[in-house]
Structure formats: structure tokens, C-alpha cells
Amino acid sequence: MVDKIFIVGYMGSGKTVIGNLIAQKLKIPFYDLDNLIEKRLEMSISEIFQQKGEIYFRKVEHQIFTELAENDAAFVLSLGGGTPCYANNHLLLSGKNRTSVYLNASIDILSDRLLLDRTFRSLIADLSSEEFKEYIAKHLFDRSFFYNQAVYKVKVNDKTPDEVTDEVIALLT
């Protein structure tokens, strides 16, 4: 069993839900990288982007992710959708006592999930319905190399959170 499990994937793929379930079943702590960034900076992600810019956000994201990757504790960490794509973060997805799981969801599944709560997600809040699927498709294409650096890949389409969690745990044990 590995000490650190990093959950990667596009926004809406279920990283936080699945990561939390995995942590509960393995009886280890769960963290969400975006939440840790918000706590450290005492600002929401959208406020950070608006007031400090994406470059600043990515620097802090990399710093916190590196601290956690080099930490000796066991935990599950849900990464932000862009985390593996910047500052060579994808190189931290595996190694001694580290593993990673890419939650792979189709464009249609992501689109359906994200349309429901896009007002809470600053990167997609202002997109029209027509722009929405194209935006997701382009991002997935751009990010697929980095997501595929994860040790394990799990398709999440048409599966319940419990089914995905059980599949991930089976891969890890």
C-alpha cells in the first residue's frame, strides 16, 4: 500500500467525492488541494485568480503540492484540474510512497455535471452552452498528456461513486 494517493482529472470528474470515499475506506486523511490553497491564502479560488492572477495561483499551488508530496504522512489528495499541467507537477504523481489515479470522464459526462454548477466555477461561469462542450473538449485535449502520467486510469462514465471507489481501491491493494 502506498502512503500518498493523488486523484487527478478534469473538473467535474469526481475527484473530491471519490478521494473522500477512498480516504474513508482506507481510514486515512483526505485533503482537497484547492481547499488547502484557499485556507492558506484566506481567499476563494476565484478571488485569487481575480486579485492575484493565475501565475500567482499556480506558484502557490505548486508550493503546497510539493510540500504534501514530500511529506511522510499517508493521505488522499484531490488535485485541481490544472495542477498536473503546470510547474512540472506531473512529475510528482508517482515515486516513493506515492501513486496517482486519473478519473477519466467523457466530454458528455463532464458537460452534464458542470452545467449544473458552473456558476461556482470561475473558469466556466461565463461560457454559453454552445461554447461549453468545445471548451471542455479543448481542455481535455490539452491536458490529456499530463493526466495520463497518473499511475492508474479509471473510467468513471456510468459508474456510481462507490463503484469507482471500489475499483480504485482494488488497483491500490
Side-chain angles (χ1 to χ4, degrees):
M1 188 67 184
V2 293
D3 292 31
K4 284 173 260 327
I5 302 161
F6 303 131
I7 308 297
V8 303
Y10 197 69
M11 64 179 143
S13 63
K15 297 180 303 290
T16 301
V17 170
I18 302 303
N20 213 337
L21 289 170
I22 292 166
Q24 287 174 23
K25 289 195 176 193
L26 297 178
K27 297 180 176 24
I28 59 176
F30 169 75
Y31 304 105
D32 180 283
L33 186 57
D34 283 348
N35 289 345
L36 295 173
I37 294 166
E38 288 179 335
K39 282 181 186 156
R40 183 168 294 180
L41 298 180
E42 297 179 344
M43 302 169 81
S44 71
I45 298 297
S46 59
E47 288 173 330
I48 298 165
F49 268 74
Q50 289 170 359
Q51 294 177 27
K52 306 266 188 188
E54 184 176 5
I55 292 171
Y56 178 82
F57 171 82
R58 296 297 176 193
K59 285 180 181 177
V60 173
E61 176 184 60
H62 175 70
Q63 178 185 8
I64 295 172
F65 183 36
T66 302
E67 289 169 12
L68 289 166
E70 294 173 353
N71 184 313
D72 289 334
F75 56 81
V76 176
L77 176 68
S78 164
L79 302 181
T83 304
C85 311
Y86 297 92
N88 286 325
N89 287 333
H90 66 286
L91 300 176
L92 298 173
L93 295 177
S94 61
K96 186 175 185 235
N97 300 324
R98 294 182 209 156
T99 196
S100 50
V101 180
Y102 168 28
L103 300 181
N104 185 337
S106 71
I107 294 166
D108 287 336
I109 294 288
L110 293 170
S111 181
D112 290 347
R113 290 178 181 178
L114 292 170
L115 273 171
L116 298 174
D117 69 346
R118 70 179 172 175
T119 55
F120 302 106
R121 298 177 185 267
S122 55
L123 293 174
I124 58 172
D126 298 328
L127 296 177
S128 71
S129 298
E130 299 81 46
E131 297 170 308
F132 201 66
K133 268 192 179 177
E134 186 176 324
Y135 179 88
I136 293 169
K138 181 188 178 313
H139 255 179
L140 276 179
F141 179 79
D142 292 344
R143 294 176 173 190
S144 65
F145 169 81
F146 301 101
Y147 290 164
N148 281 297
Q149 300 306 303
V151 176
Y152 301 107
K153 290 101 183 146
V154 175
K155 293 219 177 271
V156 300
N157 296 352
D158 305 318
K159 294 178 187 169
T160 67
D162 285 327
E163 290 170 333
V164 174
T165 300
D166 291 343
E167 187 175 338
V168 170
I169 289 174
L171 290 169
L172 298 173
T173 55

